[in-house]
Amino acid sequence: MLKIYRNTSIFIILVIIGVQWGFYQNYTREFPNFIDKTYIIHIHGALLMSWLVLLIVQPLLITTGRTQLHRTIGNVSYLLGPLIIIFLFLVGKDGYWRLIGKLPEHDILAFIVLDSRGFISFAIFWALAMLYRKDSAAHMRYMIATGMLAIGPGVGRGLINSFGVEIGTALTITDLINLAIVGFLLGYDIYKEKNYKPYLVVFIVFLIGAFLWQVRDSDAWQSFAKSYAAIFY
């Protein structure tokens, strides 16, 4: 069990590397003179990096036997989680208005897939992690899932910036990466006769998100996104 916690920290470190790779060109290297970046973007980034660091530290505290400190620090997630959900929504709203006049309406409405599925998926995983906080196995799996959500924005941008991959293709690739990782973990839990339900839920959420990205150009999504923007943005 301790090996699983250690591997979790290593996995999240790799996710952070992917995030830094993706955001270096258009964000990190601009420090401290950021170009066309709002305070919402800065707060959003700081909150998510804090969350990822938390996902590294917490498993390590378990492996070193500092369970009480793990619980104490874990209380931060009750504040950090809702703040991340709020700013995931706000950064989507901010991005929507910043793209008005720069891109065709069709493309802007398509990008709402990314914004809406991001904060809704995080909210689901965070809420389930808190709900099952006394079930360490389920809690850990949902927390890992919150970290996996950073793969799309990070690695996706990395593929775009470093290799010139088209954004639709890049995010399809990262969706497949997420599904492959969760699918492997789900299969492993089934094989080892562990509680497979958490990763099944995670897989379904990622699958729905991947499906929505593939139908972003459809009339159904465009109509929904236009209504969504009119109500919430």
mmCIF file with all atom_site columns, all heavy atoms in Angstrom, residues 122-138:
data_model
loop_
_atom_site.group_PDB
_atom_site.id
_atom_site.type_symbol
_atom_site.label_atom_id
_atom_site.label_alt_id
_atom_site.label_comp_id
_atom_site.label_asym_id
_atom_site.label_entity_id
_atom_site.label_seq_id
_atom_site.pdbx_PDB_ins_code
_atom_site.Cartn_x
_atom_site.Cartn_y
_atom_site.Cartn_z
_atom_site.occupancy
_atom_site.B_iso_or_equiv
_atom_site.pdbx_formal_charge
_atom_site.auth_seq_id
_atom_site.auth_comp_id
_atom_site.auth_asym_id
_atom_site.auth_atom_id
_atom_site.pdbx_PDB_model_num
ATOM 1   N N   . PHE A 1 122 ? -13.728 18.349 -12.171 1.00 0.00 ? 122 PHE A N   1
ATOM 2   C CA  . PHE A 1 122 ? -13.003 18.573 -10.917 1.00 0.00 ? 122 PHE A CA  1
ATOM 3   C C   . PHE A 1 122 ? -13.974 18.573 -9.746  1.00 0.00 ? 122 PHE A C   1
ATOM 4   O O   . PHE A 1 122 ? -13.684 17.992 -8.688  1.00 0.00 ? 122 PHE A O   1
ATOM 5   C CB  . PHE A 1 122 ? -12.235 19.894 -10.951 1.00 0.00 ? 122 PHE A CB  1
ATOM 6   C CG  . PHE A 1 122 ? -11.379 20.110 -9.735  1.00 0.00 ? 122 PHE A CG  1
ATOM 7   C CD1 . PHE A 1 122 ? -10.050 19.709 -9.715  1.00 0.00 ? 122 PHE A CD1 1
ATOM 8   C CD2 . PHE A 1 122 ? -11.901 20.700 -8.584  1.00 0.00 ? 122 PHE A CD2 1
ATOM 9   C CE1 . PHE A 1 122 ? -9.260  19.882 -8.583  1.00 0.00 ? 122 PHE A CE1 1
ATOM 10  C CE2 . PHE A 1 122 ? -11.131 20.877 -7.452  1.00 0.00 ? 122 PHE A CE2 1
ATOM 11  C CZ  . PHE A 1 122 ? -9.798  20.473 -7.448  1.00 0.00 ? 122 PHE A CZ  1
ATOM 12  N N   . ALA A 1 123 ? -15.110 19.224 -9.919  1.00 0.00 ? 123 ALA A N   1
ATOM 13  C CA  . ALA A 1 123 ? -16.103 19.287 -8.837  1.00 0.00 ? 123 ALA A CA  1
ATOM 14  C C   . ALA A 1 123 ? -16.577 17.888 -8.459  1.00 0.00 ? 123 ALA A C   1
ATOM 15  O O   . ALA A 1 123 ? -16.726 17.574 -7.269  1.00 0.00 ? 123 ALA A O   1
ATOM 16  C CB  . ALA A 1 123 ? -17.289 20.158 -9.267  1.00 0.00 ? 123 ALA A CB  1
ATOM 17  N N   . ILE A 1 124 ? -16.799 17.038 -9.453  1.00 0.00 ? 124 ILE A N   1
ATOM 18  C CA  . ILE A 1 124 ? -17.251 15.666 -9.178  1.00 0.00 ? 124 ILE A CA  1
ATOM 19  C C   . ILE A 1 124 ? -16.182 14.897 -8.412  1.00 0.00 ? 124 ILE A C   1
ATOM 20  O O   . ILE A 1 124 ? -16.461 14.266 -7.381  1.00 0.00 ? 124 ILE A O   1
ATOM 21  C CB  . ILE A 1 124 ? -17.595 14.937 -10.497 1.00 0.00 ? 124 ILE A CB  1
ATOM 22  C CG1 . ILE A 1 124 ? -18.854 15.547 -11.127 1.00 0.00 ? 124 ILE A CG1 1
ATOM 23  C CG2 . ILE A 1 124 ? -17.798 13.437 -10.246 1.00 0.00 ? 124 ILE A CG2 1
ATOM 24  C CD1 . ILE A 1 124 ? -19.145 15.034 -12.523 1.00 0.00 ? 124 ILE A CD1 1
ATOM 25  N N   . PHE A 1 125 ? -14.935 14.933 -8.908  1.00 0.00 ? 125 PHE A N   1
ATOM 26  C CA  . PHE A 1 125 ? -13.860 14.173 -8.272  1.00 0.00 ? 125 PHE A CA  1
ATOM 27  C C   . PHE A 1 125 ? -13.561 14.693 -6.868  1.00 0.00 ? 125 PHE A C   1
ATOM 28  O O   . PHE A 1 125 ? -13.339 13.915 -5.942  1.00 0.00 ? 125 PHE A O   1
ATOM 29  C CB  . PHE A 1 125 ? -12.596 14.225 -9.134  1.00 0.00 ? 125 PHE A CB  1
ATOM 30  C CG  . PHE A 1 125 ? -12.756 13.618 -10.499 1.00 0.00 ? 125 PHE A CG  1
ATOM 31  C CD1 . PHE A 1 125 ? -11.989 14.056 -11.569 1.00 0.00 ? 125 PHE A CD1 1
ATOM 32  C CD2 . PHE A 1 125 ? -13.687 12.614 -10.730 1.00 0.00 ? 125 PHE A CD2 1
ATOM 33  C CE1 . PHE A 1 125 ? -12.139 13.500 -12.833 1.00 0.00 ? 125 PHE A CE1 1
ATOM 34  C CE2 . PHE A 1 125 ? -13.852 12.049 -11.983 1.00 0.00 ? 125 PHE A CE2 1
ATOM 35  C CZ  . PHE A 1 125 ? -13.071 12.496 -13.036 1.00 0.00 ? 125 PHE A CZ  1
ATOM 36  N N   . TRP A 1 126 ? -13.545 16.026 -6.718  1.00 0.00 ? 126 TRP A N   1
ATOM 37  C CA  . TRP A 1 126 ? -13.273 16.608 -5.401  1.00 0.00 ? 126 TRP A CA  1
ATOM 38  C C   . TRP A 1 126 ? -14.369 16.236 -4.408  1.00 0.00 ? 126 TRP A C   1
ATOM 39  O O   . TRP A 1 126 ? -14.080 15.837 -3.273  1.00 0.00 ? 126 TRP A O   1
ATOM 40  C CB  . TRP A 1 126 ? -13.161 18.131 -5.500  1.00 0.00 ? 126 TRP A CB  1
ATOM 41  C CG  . TRP A 1 126 ? -13.063 18.794 -4.158  1.00 0.00 ? 126 TRP A CG  1
ATOM 42  C CD1 . TRP A 1 126 ? -11.943 18.924 -3.371  1.00 0.00 ? 126 TRP A CD1 1
ATOM 43  C CD2 . TRP A 1 126 ? -14.136 19.396 -3.416  1.00 0.00 ? 126 TRP A CD2 1
ATOM 44  N NE1 . TRP A 1 126 ? -12.253 19.560 -2.198  1.00 0.00 ? 126 TRP A NE1 1
ATOM 45  C CE2 . TRP A 1 126 ? -13.588 19.868 -2.192  1.00 0.00 ? 126 TRP A CE2 1
ATOM 46  C CE3 . TRP A 1 126 ? -15.494 19.572 -3.669  1.00 0.00 ? 126 TRP A CE3 1
ATOM 47  C CZ2 . TRP A 1 126 ? -14.372 20.508 -1.231  1.00 0.00 ? 126 TRP A CZ2 1
ATOM 48  C CZ3 . TRP A 1 126 ? -16.263 20.220 -2.710  1.00 0.00 ? 126 TRP A CZ3 1
ATOM 49  C CH2 . TRP A 1 126 ? -15.702 20.669 -1.510  1.00 0.00 ? 126 TRP A CH2 1
ATOM 50  N N   . ALA A 1 127 ? -15.621 16.370 -4.838  1.00 0.00 ? 127 ALA A N   1
ATOM 51  C CA  . ALA A 1 127 ? -16.745 16.060 -3.948  1.00 0.00 ? 127 ALA A CA  1
ATOM 52  C C   . ALA A 1 127 ? -16.714 14.596 -3.518  1.00 0.00 ? 127 ALA A C   1
ATOM 53  O O   . ALA A 1 127 ? -16.939 14.272 -2.336  1.00 0.00 ? 127 ALA A O   1
ATOM 54  C CB  . ALA A 1 127 ? -18.065 16.381 -4.647  1.00 0.00 ? 127 ALA A CB  1
ATOM 55  N N   . LEU A 1 128 ? -16.409 13.701 -4.435  1.00 0.00 ? 128 LEU A N   1
ATOM 56  C CA  . LEU A 1 128 ? -16.350 12.275 -4.108  1.00 0.00 ? 128 LEU A CA  1
ATOM 57  C C   . LEU A 1 128 ? -15.157 11.969 -3.205  1.00 0.00 ? 128 LEU A C   1
ATOM 58  O O   . LEU A 1 128 ? -15.258 11.126 -2.300  1.00 0.00 ? 128 LEU A O   1
ATOM 59  C CB  . LEU A 1 128 ? -16.277 11.443 -5.392  1.00 0.00 ? 128 LEU A CB  1
ATOM 60  C CG  . LEU A 1 128 ? -17.568 11.405 -6.218  1.00 0.00 ? 128 LEU A CG  1
ATOM 61  C CD1 . LEU A 1 128 ? -17.336 10.742 -7.562  1.00 0.00 ? 128 LEU A CD1 1
ATOM 62  C CD2 . LEU A 1 128 ? -18.677 10.666 -5.453  1.00 0.00 ? 128 LEU A CD2 1
ATOM 63  N N   . ALA A 1 129 ? -14.042 12.648 -3.445  1.00 0.00 ? 129 ALA A N   1
ATOM 64  C CA  . ALA A 1 129 ? -12.869 12.455 -2.584  1.00 0.00 ? 129 ALA A CA  1
ATOM 65  C C   . ALA A 1 129 ? -13.180 12.876 -1.157  1.00 0.00 ? 129 ALA A C   1
ATOM 66  O O   . ALA A 1 129 ? -12.772 12.206 -0.191  1.00 0.00 ? 129 ALA A O   1
ATOM 67  C CB  . ALA A 1 129 ? -11.679 13.251 -3.122  1.00 0.00 ? 129 ALA A CB  1
ATOM 68  N N   . MET A 1 130 ? -13.908 13.973 -0.998  1.00 0.00 ? 130 MET A N   1
ATOM 69  C CA  . MET A 1 130 ? -14.271 14.432 0.342   1.00 0.00 ? 130 MET A CA  1
ATOM 70  C C   . MET A 1 130 ? -15.320 13.511 0.974   1.00 0.00 ? 130 MET A C   1
ATOM 71  O O   . MET A 1 130 ? -15.283 13.235 2.169   1.00 0.00 ? 130 MET A O   1
ATOM 72  C CB  . MET A 1 130 ? -14.801 15.870 0.282   1.00 0.00 ? 130 MET A CB  1
ATOM 73  C CG  . MET A 1 130 ? -13.783 16.910 -0.198  1.00 0.00 ? 130 MET A CG  1
ATOM 74  S SD  . MET A 1 130 ? -12.281 16.974 0.821   1.00 0.00 ? 130 MET A SD  1
ATOM 75  C CE  . MET A 1 130 ? -11.135 16.043 -0.210  1.00 0.00 ? 130 MET A CE  1
ATOM 76  N N   . LEU A 1 131 ? -16.242 13.052 0.146   1.00 0.00 ? 131 LEU A N   1
ATOM 77  C CA  . LEU A 1 131 ? -17.295 12.160 0.640   1.00 0.00 ? 131 LEU A CA  1
ATOM 78  C C   . LEU A 1 131 ? -16.693 10.859 1.166   1.00 0.00 ? 131 LEU A C   1
ATOM 79  O O   . LEU A 1 131 ? -17.152 10.314 2.175   1.00 0.00 ? 131 LEU A O   1
ATOM 80  C CB  . LEU A 1 131 ? -18.301 11.869 -0.482  1.00 0.00 ? 131 LEU A CB  1
ATOM 81  C CG  . LEU A 1 131 ? -19.460 10.932 -0.144  1.00 0.00 ? 131 LEU A CG  1
ATOM 82  C CD1 . LEU A 1 131 ? -20.357 11.556 0.930   1.00 0.00 ? 131 LEU A CD1 1
ATOM 83  C CD2 . LEU A 1 131 ? -20.274 10.627 -1.393  1.00 0.00 ? 131 LEU A CD2 1
ATOM 84  N N   . TYR A 1 132 ? -15.676 10.360 0.478   1.00 0.00 ? 132 TYR A N   1
ATOM 85  C CA  . TYR A 1 132 ? -15.043 9.089  0.853   1.00 0.00 ? 132 TYR A CA  1
ATOM 86  C C   . TYR A 1 132 ? -13.701 9.308  1.566   1.00 0.00 ? 132 TYR A C   1
ATOM 87  O O   . TYR A 1 132 ? -12.821 8.458  1.489   1.00 0.00 ? 132 TYR A O   1
ATOM 88  C CB  . TYR A 1 132 ? -14.834 8.230  -0.396  1.00 0.00 ? 132 TYR A CB  1
ATOM 89  C CG  . TYR A 1 132 ? -16.110 7.692  -0.970  1.00 0.00 ? 132 TYR A CG  1
ATOM 90  C CD1 . TYR A 1 132 ? -16.728 8.311  -2.051  1.00 0.00 ? 132 TYR A CD1 1
ATOM 91  C CD2 . TYR A 1 132 ? -16.724 6.563  -0.424  1.00 0.00 ? 132 TYR A CD2 1
ATOM 92  C CE1 . TYR A 1 132 ? -17.911 7.822  -2.585  1.00 0.00 ? 132 TYR A CE1 1
ATOM 93  C CE2 . TYR A 1 132 ? -17.910 6.062  -0.950  1.00 0.00 ? 132 TYR A CE2 1
ATOM 94  C CZ  . TYR A 1 132 ? -18.498 6.695  -2.028  1.00 0.00 ? 132 TYR A CZ  1
ATOM 95  O OH  . TYR A 1 132 ? -19.677 6.210  -2.550  1.00 0.00 ? 132 TYR A OH  1
ATOM 96  N N   . ARG A 1 133 ? -13.582 10.428 2.272   1.00 0.00 ? 133 ARG A N   1
ATOM 97  C CA  . ARG A 1 133 ? -12.318 10.738 2.941   1.00 0.00 ? 133 ARG A CA  1
ATOM 98  C C   . ARG A 1 133 ? -11.927 9.700  3.994   1.00 0.00 ? 133 ARG A C   1
ATOM 99  O O   . ARG A 1 133 ? -10.743 9.550  4.322   1.00 0.00 ? 133 ARG A O   1
ATOM 100 C CB  . ARG A 1 133 ? -12.383 12.129 3.574   1.00 0.00 ? 133 ARG A CB  1
ATOM 101 C CG  . ARG A 1 133 ? -13.430 12.274 4.670   1.00 0.00 ? 133 ARG A CG  1
ATOM 102 C CD  . ARG A 1 133 ? -13.604 13.727 5.068   1.00 0.00 ? 133 ARG A CD  1
ATOM 103 N NE  . ARG A 1 133 ? -14.603 13.894 6.119   1.00 0.00 ? 133 ARG A NE  1
ATOM 104 C CZ  . ARG A 1 133 ? -15.909 13.919 5.911   1.00 0.00 ? 133 ARG A CZ  1
ATOM 105 N NH1 . ARG A 1 133 ? -16.380 13.775 4.683   1.00 0.00 ? 133 ARG A NH1 1
ATOM 106 N NH2 . ARG A 1 133 ? -16.760 14.074 6.910   1.00 0.00 ? 133 ARG A NH2 1
ATOM 107 N N   . LYS A 1 134 ? -12.911 8.965  4.539   1.00 0.00 ? 134 LYS A N   1
ATOM 108 C CA  . LYS A 1 134 ? -12.613 7.938  5.530   1.00 0.00 ? 134 LYS A CA  1
ATOM 109 C C   . LYS A 1 134 ? -12.328 6.578  4.900   1.00 0.00 ? 134 LYS A C   1
ATOM 110 O O   . LYS A 1 134 ? -11.949 5.625  5.592   1.00 0.00 ? 134 LYS A O   1
ATOM 111 C CB  . LYS A 1 134 ? -13.762 7.832  6.535   1.00 0.00 ? 134 LYS A CB  1
ATOM 112 C CG  . LYS A 1 134 ? -13.928 9.091  7.393   1.00 0.00 ? 134 LYS A CG  1
ATOM 113 C CD  . LYS A 1 134 ? -15.023 8.919  8.431   1.00 0.00 ? 134 LYS A CD  1
ATOM 114 C CE  . LYS A 1 134 ? -15.164 10.180 9.283   1.00 0.00 ? 134 LYS A CE  1
ATOM 115 N NZ  . LYS A 1 134 ? -16.245 10.034 10.314  1.00 0.00 ? 134 LYS A NZ  1
ATOM 116 N N   . ASP A 1 135 ? -12.530 6.501  3.593   1.00 0.00 ? 135 ASP A N   1
ATOM 117 C CA  . ASP A 1 135 ? -12.192 5.303  2.835   1.00 0.00 ? 135 ASP A CA  1
ATOM 118 C C   . ASP A 1 135 ? -10.926 5.641  2.047   1.00 0.00 ? 135 ASP A C   1
ATOM 119 O O   . ASP A 1 135 ? -10.991 6.191  0.957   1.00 0.00 ? 135 ASP A O   1
ATOM 120 C CB  . ASP A 1 135 ? -13.347 4.934  1.898   1.00 0.00 ? 135 ASP A CB  1
ATOM 121 C CG  . ASP A 1 135 ? -13.074 3.687  1.073   1.00 0.00 ? 135 ASP A CG  1
ATOM 122 O OD1 . ASP A 1 135 ? -11.904 3.269  0.962   1.00 0.00 ? 135 ASP A OD1 1
ATOM 123 O OD2 . ASP A 1 135 ? -14.032 3.130  0.519   1.00 0.00 ? 135 ASP A OD2 1
ATOM 124 N N   . SER A 1 136 ? -9.772  5.332  2.613   1.00 0.00 ? 136 SER A N   1
ATOM 125 C CA  . SER A 1 136 ? -8.512  5.798  2.049   1.00 0.00 ? 136 SER A CA  1
ATOM 126 C C   . SER A 1 136 ? -8.311  5.378  0.595   1.00 0.00 ? 136 SER A C   1
ATOM 127 O O   . SER A 1 136 ? -7.779  6.150  -0.214  1.00 0.00 ? 136 SER A O   1
ATOM 128 C CB  . SER A 1 136 ? -7.335  5.304  2.899   1.00 0.00 ? 136 SER A CB  1
ATOM 129 O OG  . SER A 1 136 ? -7.321  3.888  2.968   1.00 0.00 ? 136 SER A OG  1
ATOM 130 N N   . ALA A 1 137 ? -8.719  4.170  0.234   1.00 0.00 ? 137 ALA A N   1
ATOM 131 C CA  . ALA A 1 137 ? -8.520  3.689  -1.133  1.00 0.00 ? 137 ALA A CA  1
ATOM 132 C C   . ALA A 1 137 ? -9.342  4.503  -2.133  1.00 0.00 ? 137 ALA A C   1
ATOM 133 O O   . ALA A 1 137 ? -8.835  4.954  -3.166  1.00 0.00 ? 137 ALA A O   1
ATOM 134 C CB  . ALA A 1 137 ? -8.886  2.210  -1.223  1.00 0.00 ? 137 ALA A CB  1
ATOM 135 N N   . ALA A 1 138 ? -10.631 4.712  -1.842  1.00 0.00 ? 138 ALA A N   1
ATOM 136 C CA  . ALA A 1 138 ? -11.488 5.488  -2.733  1.00 0.00 ? 138 ALA A CA  1
ATOM 137 C C   . ALA A 1 138 ? -11.057 6.957  -2.748  1.00 0.00 ? 138 ALA A C   1
ATOM 138 O O   . ALA A 1 138 ? -10.999 7.593  -3.809  1.00 0.00 ? 138 ALA A O   1
ATOM 139 C CB  . ALA A 1 138 ? -12.945 5.371  -2.293  1.00 0.00 ? 138 ALA A CB  1
#
